[in-house]
Amino acid sequence: MNETAHTPDEALAEPPEVQERNLWLGVRVMAGVTIMFFLAFVFAYFYLRSLNNFDRWRPPSVDPPQAYGAAIVILFVVSAALFAYADRAARKAAAWLPAAGAALALGLAGCVVQAFEYAHLGFAPTRGGYASVFLGWTLLFVLFVIFAMYWVEITFATGLRHRHDAEAYVPLGLDAAAFYWTLLAVIGVIAWGILYLL
Amino acid sequence: MPEPSHFRRILILWIALSVIATPLVVILAAPGLPPGDATSEAAGQVTDNTVLLGIATPIAALLVVYFAYALIVFRHRGPEPDEGVAIRGDNRVQLTWIVATAAIVLFAAVYGTVRIFGDSGAGGGQGPNPIAKPSGDPLQVQVIAQQWAFTYRFPSFGGVETPHLELPVDQDVEFHVTSLDAIHSFWAHQLGVKADANPGVDNVAYARPTETGSFDIRCAELCGLFHGHMFDTGQVVSDSSFQAWIRGQQREFAPATRNLNPYNRGYLPHPERRAG
Amino acid sequence: MNTAAAERPLWRRLLGFNLLAGIVLGVAGFYFGWWLGHQIHAKSLAYFADTNQNDVALLLGYLFFPIGFVIGLGFAKYPLSRALGREPSHHENEEGGLGRYFGVCTDHKVVGMQYMVGIGVFFFIGGLNAMLIRAELLRPSPQLFGAGNYLTIVGLHGAMMMGVMSSAILGPFANYFVPLMIGAKRMAFPRIEALTFWLLMAAGVIFVSTIFFGGFPTGWTGYAPLNDQANFGFDSYIFFFALVGLSMTLLGLNLIATIVTMRAPGMTWGRLPMFCWGVLSTSGLMVLAAPVLIAALLMVAFDRSLQTSFFLTSGGGSPYLFENLFWFFGHPEVYVVLLPAMGITAEIITVHGRKKLFGYKTVLYTTIATGIISFFVWAHHQFVAGIDPRIMATLWRAKIRYTVPMLFCLAWFFNFFIGGVSGFFLSDTPSDVSTHGSFFVMAHFHYTIMGGLIFAFFAAIYYWVPKMTGLRFNERLAKIHFWTMFIAFNSTFGPLFALGLMGMPRRVATYASNLQPLNIWVSVSAFVLGASMLVFLANVLYSMVIAREPAEANPWRSKSLEWQLPTPVPVHNFDRIPVFDADPYDYGIPPVAPRHVPAGASGVAPYPDRK
């Protein structure tokens, strides 16, 4: 095999601006993926609701716990807002780590509250179409949120390592992460509106 | 050697081939195609296929002639490949092609629509509210599909449910196809009828048998383990034989008929019993 | 060869993160999920009392198997180090010998080769199933298999082929050649690129394991309510297609990002090779269609494990929900299979006709438009879109060289034309009554998909593999392969149109006895078709292992960038990023010399940057 000699890391890596551009585009494609994924559930919701086979779309006692639902969506939205603020602050070379840390904590708290909600749901998955859509949608949404939290955690951890740097440090892909978490929060608000309020 | 007119040569070859091949296909080959002429619907489908084949033959001839010509005449000779003639994209050529294909497709769409209305649905399932109906008072037959058999209910004969199907000749038949479990499809091949059987849905199809004889019934949508065994043979018989047969069935299945649910356009399993 | 790696003893090299560890951790993951499922099952009998099989355990097993598998392969190292706040890096395991092929490697050329072998194995399994189907259909009554086994084989064949076809061209060829064509050193997300391949492999293993759990009776479409009703083995279908969907999504995302952002200076949109356009529009379809499929399959998984009722009419759901979601994926999927094939034929026919591609813009717009239109059901045929005349016009007064790739491209066109004409009958409503759901449809989509994709796939193999391996194919064996395959293909699928019209439904082992002679003909042709693949394997074995004749760097005298590089392509493709100043399809316009010079090529001064 005809292979070149080992080259140092710096010569191999793509320049940061290329990586930044890749992430910028990649996260937007991923936004499309995420939206299409949850559109399947939006479709399922309205399709089954309009059919209402055997009057089993939503039997009378199937009501989601409103307090939990509101708590979850508020936690997610505040977390996303804090993280978006952190992104802006970092670009202006202001302190952004505390906001990112708070965003991480609130997002994870939202996932924990979701787990509590499942424990106190009051209806089983067998209770008709609405129960199915509710469980499937919220469960998968929380999985996406956990992924976003991992991303938030990366930026936070990298920032923590660089907190004593002389010049302001902005982790690679901070704005991509902020974009994605904001998108998820918007989906979360829509999901809350459809599943809890409609 | 001067460059010959490739265009004129191809045109002549194409016209010659089309003039020979199209009548051969339309007159000799196509009318013998299945599903035959046991019903007016089946005969209609053969006509449609004949028309479509008549259109497709010249198109096929054009492509065959063009390719054969290009591959033989334009093939590269000699060891060292040199360059082809650079032609820029010609809008007229592209436009002609698009207009021609669009015209053919439009014709097929219009023709198909006209035929499906004029032919009482051409044997296809039309859903619960059929638009194209035959005139007069057709014989109603409900086809109930379940894993893995078809049964037939005759509402005009006391709602008797029979395990086999016989139909009278020269009489319009109105099939109401439904299913009790998975999705099936009722395909009576020689009758030219195919209609999906969906649980809870009443799917209507028409046929008018024009000659007596037997026909094959198969399930045409994968419906589980014994999908391949879901077949039967039906009979088209004279009206008097049909009357005799259905009376016999009424007598034979009288005890069962008493216990059946009232005739209904779409049966569904009980909500608490989770079938399929 | 990387000396440091080679010096370590064998046992030490086997002990790291690699395929071996992946298999061990994958199996461990499966049994963990299996165990967990039984714990849950025991504790909530109220939900599951009426079932005699534990779908929860199997689904969890299939969930943890790929997780353990990719951890063992070494995919967890980097995310963990990132979570601890370490700096990002863009490459891994690119140097060094064969070990790269059995773990995470961010070199797109390694991933391309991995895909090539992996997809070949999948095709082999899928093809073997086809042979079994044809053996069963030699007689009109069931003879070899019971009803359940027969449907499992049909489903394995269909789903395996459909699942793998989507990546058959994008996996090996786009991963390998898109960076070379656009002048990039690697893909935009090289680790994700490696992950897509190993996810596909995990999916294949899961799918084949269905035979240990009783198979599944649903065919490749997995329609509701059969999917809720099906036994244990259907769980592997769910995870197979979900993982394939995930792999497709990530592959598409990566290719889009690469083509959009990683193009070298001068590689404008107007100069982008047609193959890249085909890949780009396919990727766009994949990332939008595949997530819907994944969502639908997860709903099935919930129905089967949590006992929800997405698709149960009696529980407030509807089977049509699945059919709708499935075909939202299924229609674009047809074009996911076709568009890259079109890109390949455009490349090869142009190079072999020594002509500029006729109507680059028209082809381009139709490619993109076809992609968009494919989301709507009605536009089922490219004949409307004007794709086909391009090849005709490109052949006009061309200088055609009949090499093996060119033969495959012409055969592709021929098959696709027959597929298109038969689609004309299917789309016409009255005619559709007798053809839909029968062997006629089956013949139609085998002509468009197998005749379309597989022939393009082989054209690409004969065209590009000499570049990938640096070794040339035996021409005589290749021609034998082509002619046996082409004739056997038409002899197999042509009579199926007649069988369909004569009343043979799909997916049955029993048929009317008057159809037997034609079925025997088809079966024998199918066996010959299978044998032609053995000719191909023999050619691979002979040319790549025994004879090992070195290939020229640019045997087709192409002007596209990948052919200007030395053979085999060096590890980082280019020493310096190249600059483009000419179209890739400038054939027929003198002077004939390579116009875009990769800066890494020997002794050529780099062009000044002309953006």
Side-chain angles (χ1 to χ4, degrees):
Chain A
M1 283 222 194
N2 176 17
E3 282 165 5
T4 58
H6 191 75
T7 331
D9 267 12
E10 298 75 44
L12 284 172
E14 311 298 333
E17 66 270 14
V18 173
Q19 297 193 20
E20 197 71 60
R21 215 170 48 190
N22 288 343
L23 279 172
W24 186 92
L25 186 77
V27 77
R28 273 149 185 83
V29 177
M30 219 166 85
V33 171
T34 315
I35 289 170
M36 292 309 285
F37 185 84
F38 286 108
L39 268 183
F41 284 90
V42 175
F43 178 75
Y45 180 93
F46 287 105
Y47 190 73
L48 296 184
R49 185 186 162 122
S50 66
L51 283 178
N52 193 13
N53 280 333
F54 282 102
D55 287 328
R56 293 275 296 181
W57 158 248
R58 195 166 173 172
S61 62
V62 176
D63 286 306
Q66 293 291 349
Y68 280 110
I72 294 164
V73 77
I74 288 170
L75 283 169
F76 286 164
V77 167
V78 173
S79 164
L82 275 173
F83 197 59
Y85 165 78
D87 174 37
R88 286 210 169 177
R91 265 185 281 163
K92 285 187 213 144
W96 61 276
L97 262 180
L104 178 63
L106 289 179
L108 288 176
C111 298
V112 173
V113 175
Q114 179 70 74
F116 270 100
E117 186 189 20
Y118 286 145
H120 302 99
L121 203 52
F123 59 85
T126 49
R127 294 300 304 278
Y130 171 81
S132 308
V133 177
F134 178 87
L135 271 165
W137 193 343
T138 51
L139 199 63
L140 293 168
F141 182 67
V142 164
L143 282 182
F144 273 76
V145 171
I146 289 172
F147 169 74
M149 283 305 107
Y150 164 71
W151 205 348
V152 171
E153 196 273 344
I154 286 178
T155 59
F156 181 66
T158 338
L160 218 52
R161 277 192 186 245
H162 288 268
R163 66 189 180 281
H164 299 305
D165 283 11
E167 32 181 306
Y169 177 80
V170 182
L172 183 72
L174 178 63
D175 66 332
F179 174 85
Y180 193 66
W181 183 210
T182 309
L183 172 91
L184 274 190
V186 170
I187 294 178
V189 171
I190 295 170
W192 177 69
I194 291 178
L195 291 175
Y196 288 88
L197 303 184
L198 219 64
Chain B
M1 194 178 83
E3 195 73 24
S5 172
H6 299 297
F7 183 76
R8 193 181 302 153
R9 282 189 189 176
I10 289 176
L11 197 68
I12 292 168
L13 281 172
W14 173 48
I15 292 172
L17 188 62
S18 302
V19 166
I20 297 168
T22 313
L24 282 178
V25 167
V26 169
I27 296 166
L28 294 180
L33 285 178
D37 53 358
T39 61
S40 47
E41 280 68 21
Q45 287 162 22
V46 172
T47 312
D48 295 337
N49 281 340
T50 309
V51 170
L52 293 184
L53 272 174
I55 299 172
T57 309
I59 303 176
L62 174 61
L63 280 141
V64 167
V65 166
Y66 183 90
F67 262 81
Y69 190 90
L71 297 188
I72 294 165
V73 177
F74 301 143
R75 80 177 295 170
H76 172 72
R77 292 177 188 81
E80 187 60 24
D82 47 4
E83 304 296 296
V85 180
I87 50 167
R88 285 275 155 196
D90 186 335
N91 284 333
R92 277 178 310 170
V93 175
Q94 295 180 24
L95 196 70
T96 314
W97 181 270
I98 290 171
V99 168
T101 49
I104 291 169
V105 169
L106 267 179
F107 168 77
V110 172
Y111 177 77
T113 314
V114 169
R115 293 288 297 176
I116 206 160
F117 283 113
D119 233 10
S120 53
Q126 301 187 53
N129 304 307
I131 303 166
K133 295 179 197 172
S135 53
D137 193 17
L139 168 70
Q140 288 194 16
V141 180
Q142 185 175 43
V143 180
I144 303 168
Q146 59 186 302
Q147 288 166 326
W148 289 276
F150 291 108
T151 50
Y152 312 93
R153 236 182 141 173
F154 294 82
S156 45
F157 293 93
V160 62
E161 187 168 340
T162 67
H164 299 289
L165 181 59
E166 288 197 14
L167 296 173
V169 74
D170 290 328
Q171 154 84 47
D172 283 311
V173 183
E174 184 175 292
F175 292 105
H176 292 264
V177 185
T178 187
S179 164
L180 298 185
D181 37 45
I183 298 173
H184 304 266
S185 187
F186 173 69
W187 184 14
H189 177 240
Q190 284 84 351
L191 300 188
V193 170
K194 187 181 284 159
D196 279 5
N198 294 308
V201 176
D202 174 37
N203 194 5
V204 180
Y206 296 96
R208 184 185 176 85
T210 51
E211 55 189 53
T212 57
S214 64
F215 57 90
D216 298 325
I217 299 166
R218 295 217 62 148
C219 177
E221 185 67 56
L222 183 56
C223 58
L225 198 55
F226 291 107
H227 164 61
H229 297 256
M230 199 165 159
F231 58 84
D232 192 12
T233 306
Q235 304 287 337
V236 176
V237 294
S238 68
D239 192 50
S240 55
S241 317
F242 172 76
Q243 295 297 337
W245 174 78
I246 193 74
R247 300 289 169 216
Q249 297 288 306
Q250 276 178 296
R251 269 194 306 281
E252 189 179 344
F253 293 107
T257 311
R258 275 197 294 278
N259 291 325
L260 285 177
N261 289 334
Y263 180 77
N264 185 343
R265 290 288 173 78
Y267 303 96
L268 276 172
H270 193 266
E272 297 308 318
R273 258 189 58 221
R274 297 184 140 215
Chain C
M1 289 283 174
N2 190 321
T3 44
E7 273 164 14
R8 281 186 292 173
L10 186 66
W11 67 268
R12 181 70 192 78
R13 271 185 282 157
L14 287 179
L15 212 65
F17 285 111
N18 56 27
L19 184 57
L20 202 63
I23 293 169
V24 171
L25 281 188
V27 171
F30 178 82
Y31 279 106
F32 170 72
W34 184 259
W35 170 83
L36 195 67
H38 280 98
Q39 301 305 307
I40 297 170
H41 187 278
K43 280 180 188 154
S44 40
L45 273 175
Y47 288 173
F48 306 107
D50 59 336
T51 58
N52 55 2
Q53 61 190 22
N54 192 346
D55 282 304
V56 182
L58 192 56
L59 284 169
L60 283 176
Y62 283 145
L63 177 65
F64 284 105
F65 164 71
I67 293 176
F69 183 63
V70 296
I71 289 176
L73 280 165
F75 280 100
K77 267 192 303 182
Y78 178 71
L80 277 179
S81 82
R82 290 285 280 139
L84 294 173
R86 303 236 165 80
E87 285 305 307
S89 88
H90 220 53
H91 56 94
E92 202 167 309
N93 206 11
E94 287 181 356
E95 314 289 333
L98 276 176
R100 292 181 301 168
Y101 290 89
F102 299 97
V104 192
C105 178
T106 52
D107 185 346
H108 67 97
K109 299 187 288 300
V110 171
V111 179
M113 287 305 282
Q114 287 174 330
Y115 258 110
M116 188 73 112
V117 175
I119 295 245
V121 171
F122 278 1
F123 275 148
F124 186 74
I125 297 172
L128 218 52
N129 282 312
M131 296 297 108
L132 294 178
I133 294 170
R134 284 321 311 181
E136 168 65 59
L137 290 177
L138 279 168
R139 291 177 67 182
S141 52
Q143 36 158 352
L144 296 176
F145 313 109
N149 284 347
Y150 180 73
L151 285 181
T152 301
I153 290 167
V154 171
L156 270 172
H157 167 72
M160 196 73 146
M161 290 297 194
M162 281 314 272
V164 176
M165 293 271 192
S166 349
S167 309
I169 286 176
L170 260 55
F173 298 114
N175 271 329
Y176 200 105
F177 286 106
V178 162
L180 297 183
M181 282 177 166
I182 63 174
K185 285 188 175 183
R186 54 172 73 78
M187 302 281 279
F189 304 109
R191 267 189 204 82
I192 288 181
E193 183 195 19
L195 184 64
T196 61
F197 168 72
W198 290 109
L199 283 181
L200 197 64
M201 292 303 107
V205 172
I206 286 177
F207 199 32
V208 173
S209 78
T210 187
I211 53 179
F212 301 117
F213 300 103
F216 61 101
T218 64
W220 83 275
T221 45
Y223 269 8
L226 278 180
N227 56 17
D228 278 0
Q229 187 191 62
N231 56 350
F232 228 21
F234 190 76
D235 296 333
S236 52
Y237 170 93
I238 296 175
F239 266 86
F240 165 72
F241 248 122
L243 281 180
V244 166
L246 183 61
S247 166
M248 276 167 67
T249 311
L250 295 175
L251 183 63
L253 185 149
N254 202 356
L255 283 165
I256 291 176
T258 305
I259 295 177
V260 173
T261 65
M262 306 279 279
R263 280 168 298 129
M267 177 47 91
T268 56
W269 288 113
R271 283 177 183 163
L272 197 62
M274 275 315 299
F275 178 63
C276 294
W277 276 113
V279 168
L280 187 63
S281 35
T282 306
S283 305
L285 291 183
M286 275 178 162
V287 295
L288 294 181
V292 178
L293 172 75
I294 301 176
L297 288 168
L298 289 175
M299 289 178 196
V300 183
F302 289 147
D303 266 14
R304 291 172 66 86
S305 57
L306 296 175
Q307 305 287 297
T308 56
S309 44
F310 281 101
F311 309 124
L312 286 172
T313 318
S314 53
S318 167
Y320 309 120
L321 175 60
F322 184 84
E323 272 78 320
N324 276 316
L325 293 175
F326 186 85
W327 284 110
F328 186 84
F329 156 80
H331 274 281
E333 166 73 6
V334 176
Y335 296 92
V336 163
V337 168
L338 288 180
L339 286 174
M342 288 175 181
I344 282 177
T345 48
E347 292 287 328
I348 296 177
I349 288 188
T350 320
V351 168
H352 284 77
R354 306 309 300 168
K355 275 192 51 175
K356 197 169 164 56
L357 187 63
F358 179 74
Y360 176 90
K361 286 239 169 80
T362 313
V363 181
L364 176 61
Y365 296 146
T366 42
T367 305
I368 297 168
T370 310
I372 297 166
I373 288 167
S374 76
F375 275 100
F376 309 100
V377 179
W378 51 271
H380 222 97
H381 304 287
Q382 280 71 32
F383 279 94
V384 207
I387 286 259
D388 287 316
R390 128 195 128 202
I391 294 168
M392 297 174 66
T394 304
L395 289 177
W396 183 255
R397 291 180 66 193
K399 309 274 184 185
I400 304 164
R401 292 181 289 167
Y402 293 104
T403 62
V404 178
M406 185 64 180
L407 287 174
F408 271 103
C409 281
L410 295 171
W412 171 85
F413 183 84
F414 179 83
N415 298 334
F416 198 70
F417 170 69
I418 293 183
V421 169
S422 58
F424 189 49
F425 287 80
L426 284 170
S427 64
D428 201 62
T429 338
S431 187
D432 186 39
V433 172
S434 56
T435 50
H436 176 82
S438 74
F439 263 31
F440 192 93
V441 173
M442 215 268 272
H444 162 69
F445 68 68
H446 275 84
Y447 260 101
T448 46
I449 294 181
M450 183 178 177
L453 183 102
I454 303 290
F455 277 78
F457 179 69
F458 275 115
I461 284 184
Y462 284 111
Y463 184 69
W464 273 321
V465 163
K467 190 78 200 174
M468 295 165 81
T469 59
L471 301 169
R472 90 168 70 200
F473 277 110
N474 181 298
E475 180 89 10
R476 182 183 294 263
L477 278 173
K479 284 209 162 135
I480 294 175
H481 170 216
F482 169 75
W483 285 111
T484 47
M485 182 174 162
F486 179 64
I487 294 168
F489 172 83
N490 280 292
S491 163
T492 305
F493 293 102
L496 291 187
F497 288 117
L499 272 176
L501 282 177
M502 285 158 77
M504 179 136 173
R506 293 166 64 188
R507 299 155 161 171
V508 297
T510 46
Y511 56 86
S513 54
N514 63 332
L515 302 179
Q516 192 184 10
L518 210 46
N519 265 302
I520 291 178
W521 172 276
V522 170
S523 288
V524 171
S525 307
F527 298 146
V528 176
L529 185 58
S532 75
M533 298 298 156
L534 295 182
V535 177
F536 171 69
L537 279 185
N539 195 0
V540 171
L541 200 67
Y542 175 77
S543 309
M544 301 293 152
V545 181
I546 299 169
R548 298 188 71 82
E549 284 178 57
E552 295 167 55
N554 188 0
W556 320 110
R557 300 183 359 120
S558 165
K559 290 179 180 174
S560 186
L561 178 60
E562 79 269 23
W563 294 104
Q564 316 309 324
L565 290 163
T567 301
V569 183
V571 172
H572 297 115
N573 305 350
F574 315 99
D575 289 345
R576 211 180 302 175
I577 297 298
V579 175
F580 294 84
D581 72 339
D583 284 5
Y585 301 115
D586 269 354
Y587 304 106
I589 302 171
V592 193
R595 294 266 228 91
H596 32 239
V597 181
S602 54
V604 183
Y607 272 61
D609 193 340
R610 272 192 253 156
K611 287 180 188 170

